[in-house]
Amino acid sequence: MLLKTFGWSFAVTALGLLAAVLYGGWAGFGIVAILSILEISVSFDNAVVNAGILKKMNAFWQKIFLTVGVLIAVFGMRLVFPVVIVAVSARIGPVEAVQLALDEQDKYQQLVTDAHPSIAAFGGMFLLMIFLDFVFEDREFKWLAWLERPLAKLGKIDMLSVCIALIVLLVSATTFATHAHQYGGIHVDKAQTVLIAGIAGLITYLVVGGLSGYFENKLEEEEREHEAEEAARTSGTKVPAVVMAGKAAFFLFLYLEVLDASFSFDGVIAAFAITNDIVLMSLGLGIGAMYVRSLTVYLVRQGTLDDYVYLEHGAHYAIGALAVILLVTIQYEIHEVITGLVGVVLIGWSFFSSVRRNRRLAAAGARGAGSDEKTEVSSGV
């Protein structure tokens, strides 16, 4: 099971590290190894959230996630995305941006760093909406019940999460963005840029999340009408449920890719603290992305989220923390170690809370079984 799920990750790791040695020697090997660990630690909460969505898909779409999705994640977000940032911000062609990344690495890093406020605003708003919609939903399992119960009641107010997100964006644009951190330690006013990018992130979430939710709900309606579908099959009538399932899976897949993109913003920017070599950066982040995806599938196939019910809670709280960190980094630098540790601590806490819950349930079940056995013995006598 482990080799089947992580086989491609192991292979990509070997090839990536070999390429790093050939390209940059043992120094390149060390940089790629560090970047891989950085990407995994920063994106572990991404894997947990992805698993919660991926488990709703069938084996075909899980395979698509591991193949096409990996190509998008590794080559799209970890290689093409930084180049696109430079091309747009510097208003140059993509070929020139690639040449700049290879030949003038310091200038390339400067352009990416200067584009950070818009990246942080877009990704921060997208992730913040994910967190808000999670905590405002009334769920069967509550991890921090003292907090989640009142939030679930507040969640009955229409569009509350959108209103809060817009308020956060407005505050960020009028505080952090007015003294946005730029390359070289200078600060400039990026309020308008942050507002536009943040609204774009919010719109992206509403469109992609809304479409995926719509088709998911349609799929659930079709499942509730199972008897009618069986009758349609018997009579030879075309059944719409298959089409809806395909659309639902497609938009969930699209939602996953946008989610991964939002997570990768932080990893790509943090990578510049270690190297500004685009080749080594792509190798390291690409290896890390492979493990995040394999870990996602592993969590689904092992049923980990069903066994440890608070893991999704911890991951979503980590998403909320990451959203806040992204917005704060518009003005202030926050070390990537802090970003990674916040996610690890929250997920680790939720995991041990789940373990304690399972032990309590097992102990209660054992006591109940013992009581039943005594009752049966006394009845037989």
Side-chain angles (χ1 to χ4, degrees), residues 339-352:
T339 305
L341 282 178
V342 168
V344 170
V345 168
L346 286 169
I347 292 175
W349 181 16
S350 64
F351 174 78
F352 286 112

Side-chain angles (χ1 to χ4, degrees), residues 101-164:
L102 295 174
D103 301 330
E104 300 182 54
Q105 294 173 358
D106 289 338
K107 186 176 181 181
Y108 174 81
Q109 179 182 354
Q110 175 183 347
L111 292 171
V112 174
T113 304
D114 290 347
H116 176 69
S118 56
I119 298 170
F122 181 95
M125 292 306 296
F126 189 90
L127 295 177
L128 181 62
M129 283 298 300
I130 293 173
F131 167 71
L132 292 174
D133 278 351
F134 180 86
V135 295
F136 284 142
E137 183 178 345
D138 190 7
R139 298 181 176 276
E140 179 183 358
F141 300 107
K142 292 178 174 60
W143 179 32
L144 306 178
W146 57 271
L147 176 64
E148 293 172 12
R149 284 199 183 98
L151 288 178
K153 292 179 180 178
L154 286 174
K156 296 177 181 178
I157 302 174
D158 290 339
M159 305 300 291
L160 179 62
S161 58
V162 176
C163 293
I164 292 177

